[in-house]
Amino acid sequence: MTSVNIGILAHVDAGKTSLTERLLHTAGVIDRVGSVDRGDTQTDSHELERRRGITIRSAVVSFTVGGAKVNLIDTPGHPDFISEVERALGVLDGVVLVVSAVEGVQAQTRLLTRTLTKLRMPVIVFVNKIDRAGARHRDLLDEIRSELSPDVVALTQVEGIGTARARATARGVGPGDPGFAAELADVLAEHDDGFLARYLDDETPLGAHDYAEALARQARRARLHPVLFGSARTGAGIDALMDAIARFLPAAPGDADGPLDGTVFKIERGGTGEKTAFVRLRGGSLGPRTKVPVFRRDRHGVLAELTGRTTVVEVFDRGSAVVAARARAGDIAKVRGLGDVRIGDRLGRAGELGGGHLFAPPALESVIRPSRPDALPRLHAALARLADEDPFIDVREDDRERTITVSLYGEVHKEVVATTLAEDFGLDVVFEDTRIVCVERPVGVGASVEQIDPRGRTVFWATVGLRVEPGDPGSGVVFRRSVELGSLPRAFHKAIEETVHATLEQGLHGWEVRDVLVTLTHSGYASPVSAAGDFRGLTPLVLMNALAQAGTRVYEPVARFELEVPDACAGAVLLNLAECGATPEAARERGGSCLVEGTVPVRGAREFEQRLPGLSQGEGVLVTRFHGYRPVAGPAPSRGRTDLNPLDRAAYLLRVFGRYS
């Protein structure tokens, strides 16, 4: 049996989870369709998801259709949990993009579509809620063509739109429906010269089979996207959607007899704290009690290889996970026993590790404190577990101030973290005000050298010289050597490079330093006295001295926004948007609404989000995505240091040695 791994994506409240329930019911996996309102759906299994009525963590279920096993990943729609969507996209063969027939294409839909287009991901568009008052058909189809992609084909037509009796019927593919055949031929011929030639050849007319075959081939290659209408609530159009999943989304590739190749995209923990890794297998097979090589790159790009041993391997079958003798290429497996595994790890081989993110990491952070000071170690352990499940949760601990800082996507994300800590870990916590995460970039060139004192009056038995200068935009931290590689033992070179990366996580103003080129200009050691610890201790002093000479500038994150508000409110909304530092670039009208695009500093976007409900009578919709950084105007904001502060030499040496040196 072939497998296909698909995801359901949409903006908030488009009906993703309800659609998942309906698909499972239609496939005979469940006897009763669960409800988000009742909190009894298959995929929103966590109590917090049931209570809030939103998907927070992606969930996997399966069903069978047309001789193929479909592994379906239900993903969150709220932008605060976009990291879950990113991880799912890395393991999918195709996507069902859900659009509400009432709300239509929204800003989050456009953001997802841009990402899917970039990935060349096969997509089926399912227009949900045709039974709701205000549902649209033909004009919504035009909206999809103009705002998402012109390469779409509606395969169903709707009767009784906007009523409880609404139903969707399939359109005949081929010359039996001349109007639809001409419409379909225009789209198919756009990407297939062979089809165009046969279409224009009157001597060999195309039949229904030819149209269907070309449609399936181009859909699987993401050259066009079928559109189907229906209702997850009533079941209208669901049979056609299931047929489309089998026909238009490609089967999972991979050689089950080849070498092991898997990607960890989700981590769960059981009641005893044991990790369960969700793995998409792209090659080979994996069974229990198997020794497995695990590869990962850290945030600085350094490759590490570990070894683990599986204990239990499960695969998904008819809705749930079942113990299997072996999981094979194309499967999604639940694997236990790999205690050190993290999200993003590759099993079997390194593959394309460290390929970058589709969406930006969090641009916000907040200091979090336990209500009881003696609970700080428990809080740190709990946050470390949450970071295992979501790598975008970056935790910074300040031992001196006894505080912990955690990165966030937004206020909903903050509320979910607080609730999870309270209910799953028994921790009552207090968050300080959320602040923006800035970065620093060097503005000049600086150099510094510290050498071993030949008279023996030395602090560190190491010689280190470093030059700091601006790097290429987007380059991060680049480390180079202008000394001979043999001038130091390899362990000492590694100690310097790793310490450079770690030190630049906090620049002159406390923010991470990016787009910087660091060159090792001097090196030396005294055998057998020198140790790697000497180089790890000296490098921060030399590096920060060079960085202070170069100087840095602080940059704040900027978001690209899409805003939709009623025409009657547009004037007041745009005025407030400008007050928050936004730069509108385009505005247009659509069905009584004003659509505005532009850029806004993230700090301004947060302020505007709080004003928007009152300005738009609760009908405004704002979606932002990371766009880049711009220099901070005015005094540079700073962030407290959590390291040993190499900018203060005396304090640094006191912390390192317990005395002044």
Side-chain angles (χ1 to χ4, degrees), residues 316-604:
F316 288 87
D317 182 42
R318 293 189 59 78
S320 59
V322 296
V323 176
R326 298 194 74 80
R328 302 184 180 279
D331 282 336
I332 290 179
K334 292 178 67 173
V335 181
R336 290 199 290 272
L338 304 178
D340 294 327
V341 75
R342 299 177 187 170
I343 289 176
D345 287 354
R346 291 289 290 262
L347 308 186
R349 66 187 189 93
E352 299 178 358
L353 280 168
H357 295 297
L358 301 172
F359 305 102
L364 306 173
E365 67 179 13
S366 177
V367 172
I368 179 174
R369 303 175 188 270
S371 298
R372 296 177 51 187
D374 60 350
L376 188 64
R378 289 175 54 213
L379 175 59
H380 189 273
L383 288 172
R385 284 185 54 173
L386 293 182
D388 274 346
E389 300 172 14
D390 185 351
F392 279 150
I393 295 181
D394 184 28
V395 180
R396 301 170 64 247
E397 186 171 13
D398 188 337
D399 293 330
R400 291 172 297 174
E401 298 294 331
R402 293 184 60 79
T403 60
I404 298 175
T405 302
V406 61
S407 57
L408 299 164
Y409 272 105
E411 296 305 315
V412 175
H413 190 194
K414 179 197 286 188
E415 293 172 15
V416 167
V417 170
T419 304
T420 302
L421 291 172
E423 298 183 354
D424 293 359
F425 300 95
L427 287 165
D428 184 26
V429 298
V430 177
F431 282 93
E432 294 185 1
D433 290 341
T434 305
R435 65 191 181 198
I436 306 301
V437 179
C438 299
V439 300
E440 297 181 47
R441 291 172 176 160
V443 295
V445 178
S448 180
V449 180
E450 293 208 20
Q451 298 181 329
I452 299 174
D453 188 337
R455 295 168 293 181
R457 294 181 297 186
T458 190
V459 178
F460 299 100
W461 290 97
T463 292
V464 175
L466 296 169
R467 183 175 66 248
V468 171
E469 55 193 299
D472 295 330
S475 62
V477 177
V478 178
F479 180 79
R480 294 178 181 171
R481 302 177 181 87
S482 65
V483 299
E484 294 184 8
L485 191 60
S487 63
L488 284 180
R490 183 175 181 180
F492 296 171
H493 274 292
K494 183 178 180 181
I496 295 173
E497 182 173 0
E498 290 179 349
T499 306
V500 164
H501 283 285
T503 303
L504 289 176
E505 291 179 7
Q506 300 181 74
L508 303 181
H509 299 276
W511 307 106
E512 181 181 357
V513 182
R514 298 185 184 177
D515 302 340
V516 56
L517 172 61
V518 181
T519 304
L520 179 64
T521 58
H522 297 76
S523 63
Y525 69 106
S527 179
V529 182
S530 298
D534 290 298
F535 291 90
R536 294 187 187 278
L538 179 58
T539 297
L541 289 171
V542 176
L543 178 59
M544 294 307 288
N545 188 33
L547 187 65
Q549 294 180 31
T552 64
R553 187 167 188 179
V554 178
Y555 289 73
E556 66 176 341
V558 176
R560 182 124 195 124
F561 74 85
E562 295 186 26
L563 172 67
E564 182 172 354
V565 294
D567 282 337
C569 309
V573 169
L574 291 175
L575 180 61
N576 274 267
L577 193 59
E579 291 176 353
C580 293
T583 304
E585 297 175 2
R588 56 193 173 90
E589 292 186 5
R590 188 189 72 183
S593 295
C594 178
L595 304 180
V596 186
E597 298 181 32
T599 58
V600 61
V602 170
R603 56 178 170 79

Side-chain angles (χ1 to χ4, degrees), residues 68-82:
K69 182 176 75 172
V70 179
N71 293 316
L72 186 153
I73 302 179
D74 183 23
T75 62
H78 197 286
D80 274 17
F81 307 107
I82 197 70

Side-chain angles (χ1 to χ4, degrees), residues 216-230:
R217 182 173 61 252
Q218 293 197 29
R220 290 171 184 160
R221 296 176 180 175
R223 292 179 177 175
L224 60 78
H225 313 297
V227 178
L228 297 97
F229 288 75

Side-chain angles (χ1 to χ4, degrees), residues 170-182:
R171 303 174 73 183
V173 177
D177 183 343
F180 182 45

Side-chain angles (χ1 to χ4, degrees), residues 10 30 40 43 46 104 171 231 238 250 268 284 336 346 415 427 432 435 459 559 561 569 616 639 654 656:
I30 57 177
D40 59 355
T43 52
H46 194 281
R171 303 174 73 183
S231 169
I238 299 301
E268 282 185 352
R336 290 199 290 272
R346 291 289 290 262
E415 293 172 15
L427 287 165
E432 294 185 1
R435 65 191 181 198
V459 178
F561 74 85
C569 309
S616 63
R639 178 169 64 171
L654 180 62
V656 172

Side-chain angles (χ1 to χ4, degrees), residues 176-256:
D177 183 343
F180 182 45
E183 175 189 332
L184 183 58
D186 285 343
V187 180
L188 293 173
E190 184 71 24
H191 303 287
D192 188 340
D193 291 341
F195 180 88
L196 175 60
R198 292 191 61 194
Y199 179 70
L200 297 175
D201 187 356
D202 294 333
E203 296 182 2
T204 56
L206 295 168
H209 173 75
D210 299 305
Y211 281 87
E213 186 179 68
L215 177 61
R217 182 173 61 252
Q218 293 197 29
R220 290 171 184 160
R221 296 176 180 175
R223 292 179 177 175
L224 60 78
H225 313 297
V227 178
L228 297 97
F229 288 75
S231 169
R233 185 168 67 170
T234 67
I238 299 301
D239 287 334
L241 175 60
M242 293 188 70
D243 178 62
I245 290 171
R247 292 173 56 201
F248 302 133
L249 297 182
D255 180 7

